[in-house]
Amino acid sequence: MMSLLKSIHSGKEYSLDEVRFTADDGELLDVVHDFEQVKQQYKISKEYFAKKRSQINGQPSGGVWHFKELVMPEINDDYIISKQEGNTRLYRSKKISSWLGLSAERFYLKHEGENPTGSFKDRGMTVAITIAKYLKQQAVTCASTGNTSASLAAYASEAELPGIVLIPKGSVAVGKISQALAYGTKTLVVNGDFDDCMRMIQEAQEKLSAYPLNSINPFRLEGQKTIIWEILLQLGWKVPDWFIFPGGNLGNTSAFGKALFEAYQLELIDRMPRFAVIQAEGASPFYKAYKNNFLELKKEKAETIATAIKIGAPVNYPKAVRALKWTNGIVEAVSDEEILEAKAIVDSAGIGAEPASCATVAGLKKLIGKGEIKSKDTVVGILTGNILKDPQCIVDYHFNKTTPLANAPHSIEASIDELKRFL
Ligand SMILES: *Cc1c(COP(=O)(O)O)cnc(C)c1O
């Protein structure tokens, strides 16, 4: 086999054919591939991925399966459940750059909200649900702040697998819960928070054999690696100075670190960029651990308007710490007010994203203010979710006359004179 599971701590190895999510000692698992063997079989290089025209089951493949050799080299195409996820746009914006004080030529926003169900979760989902099929699993589950459940629901439907999603009561945006309902998955609203849901999912795996598709599932992270490779491909493999993105359960932090570590091993890049991970102040256990030299992770009760990162006990913490070490990374925290202001800017630039995604831009503003990120640096920010995921947040912001960038609607009579007042 070219791929196996390996404990990130002890290095103990397990077969890919085993259904498991942690090592015997409870530590997290990596999916590792034998890149020497992969390189013998395929001529992996920058040009290889630039020239390659990939297809899965007769369809042009998305950004994830374009990198199949480095994601899941041996899986038979018959198992693959794909919606051509990935191939998302890399935007530039004069408006956002000038608000930040960055050069418009050196600032990019990768919009992962332009995936099939509106978030980057689809990139991990295509790989993990493919493995669920390969392992002949009978049902799939997840705990979700919303986007994972939306993604699971769509992919489970395509794979014809029953799905059950657990969402915390009162903490999921309307766009997301409506997707889970519409795609037809069983949706259970738990009287508890995300961290309670996550604990139940881990128990359900052990006691009820339901296959979890959370980012504890190491195959999810294999798909999410491709966000970084796709950006590098879009930039002609020129490494930016910074990647900046939000951190909740820290799946992306972990996956992005692995993507760069592997790209360096494969000589696709010749230097490591730096990471800046942004948390919401009310849900910032990773930020606090970073400030304390990663001596310990203290779980907390999370509270923030950015529901996608409202997580107090991130399951991927050890992998995220490793990723920050690889990338000489930093962590910052921003208030809900800062997130909402950044969101108003991102939205008014005609790009738009959900609140958690805009923590990226709020954090960037703060780090530029502190001089940690310089105006001459090349920066790629990642927008993780679509603007339409959380319409309530937008309406609340713009109807509130006291918010700084409010754009409330006006009521007029049906006459051209009234209209004239606004032109
Ligand atoms: C899941 C999610 C996050 C958090 O990502 P992690 O990998 O758990 O840190 C951030 N933003 C959006 C929109 C999400 O759906």
Side-chain angles (χ1 to χ4, degrees), residues 225-240:
K225 291 190 307 191
T226 62
I227 299 172
I228 293 294
W229 295 334
E230 199 176 291
I231 293 168
L232 290 169
L233 194 56
Q234 284 168 315
L235 295 176
W237 294 100
K238 269 189 75 181
V239 180

Side-chain angles (χ1 to χ4, degrees), residues 114-395:
E114 296 178 350
N115 269 295
T117 76
S119 84
F120 73 83
K121 298 296 197 303
D122 295 338
R123 295 216 191 221
M125 203 54 69
T126 179
V127 179
I129 205 130
T130 293
I131 296 294
K133 287 213 82 172
Y134 171 76
L135 294 171
K136 312 238 169 342
Q137 296 298 291
Q138 299 305 311
V140 290
T141 59
C142 75
S144 178
T145 60
N147 282 330
T148 304
S149 60
S151 185
L152 178 148
Y155 282 79
S157 163
E158 174 104 20
E160 298 182 87
L161 276 174
I164 295 178
V165 303
L166 302 189
I167 61 177
K169 190 175 165 185
S171 294
V172 173
V174 66
K176 305 177 188 182
I177 194 166
S178 31
Q179 282 178 290
L181 303 177
Y183 296 138
T185 207
K186 210 41 103 234
T187 304
L188 308 182
V189 181
V190 177
N191 191 7
D193 63 13
F194 173 80
D195 303 302
D196 292 320
C197 297
M198 195 64 226
R199 182 175 43 75
M200 286 172 69
I201 288 295
Q202 275 164 319
E203 261 187 67
Q205 192 264 315
E206 285 157 27
K207 297 184 182 149
L208 311 173
S209 302
Y211 190 76
L213 294 175
N214 277 100
S215 58
I216 183 94
N217 183 320
F219 299 104
R220 275 264 312 270
L221 304 189
E222 289 307 287
Q224 287 166 218
K225 291 190 307 191
T226 62
I227 299 172
I228 293 294
W229 295 334
E230 199 176 291
I231 293 168
L232 290 169
L233 194 56
Q234 284 168 315
L235 295 176
W237 294 100
K238 269 189 75 181
V239 180
D241 297 308
W242 293 92
F243 282 107
I244 182 164
F245 48 89
N249 229 351
L250 304 176
N252 271 340
T253 310
S254 307
F256 295 176
K258 191 168 187 281
L260 287 160
F261 185 81
E262 291 177 354
Y264 191 81
Q265 270 190 310
L266 289 158
E267 296 172 24
L268 295 169
I269 56 172
D270 54 12
R271 71 181 181 103
M272 291 293 265
R274 296 185 69 188
F275 278 1
V277 180
I278 312 301
Q279 293 211 293
E281 274 171 8
S284 54
F286 190 49
Y287 171 70
K288 286 169 196 137
Y290 162 77
K291 282 285 176 199
N292 200 13
N293 280 317
F294 296 123
L295 284 179
E296 66 169 331
L297 177 77
K298 280 208 194 96
K299 294 175 189 172
E300 62 182 54
K301 188 101 197 127
E303 193 48 65
T304 169
I305 195 154
T307 50
I309 50 174
K310 187 174 162 186
I311 292 173
V315 296
N316 285 297
Y317 174 72
K319 287 183 178 175
V321 173
R322 181 180 71 175
L324 281 217
K325 291 194 171 140
W326 282 338
T327 60
N328 187 19
I330 58 178
V331 187
E332 188 52 86
V334 290
S335 68
D336 281 3
E337 289 70 36
E338 289 170 308
I339 291 173
L340 287 174
E341 190 189 353
K343 175 168 160 56
I345 298 290
V346 172
D347 291 355
S348 72
I351 293 179
E354 69 163 283
S357 311
C358 297
T360 292
V361 177
L364 182 51
K365 176 101 173 159
K366 195 159 182 175
L367 290 168
I368 291 167
K370 285 183 172 177
E372 295 250 27
I373 295 181
K374 309 274 187 292
S375 57
K376 62 167 183 35
D377 288 350
T378 302
V379 182
V380 178
I382 290 149
L383 298 176
T384 44
N386 195 285
I387 185 173
L388 290 173
K389 289 285 191 171
D390 194 350
Q392 193 59 49
C393 172
I394 301 174
V395 170

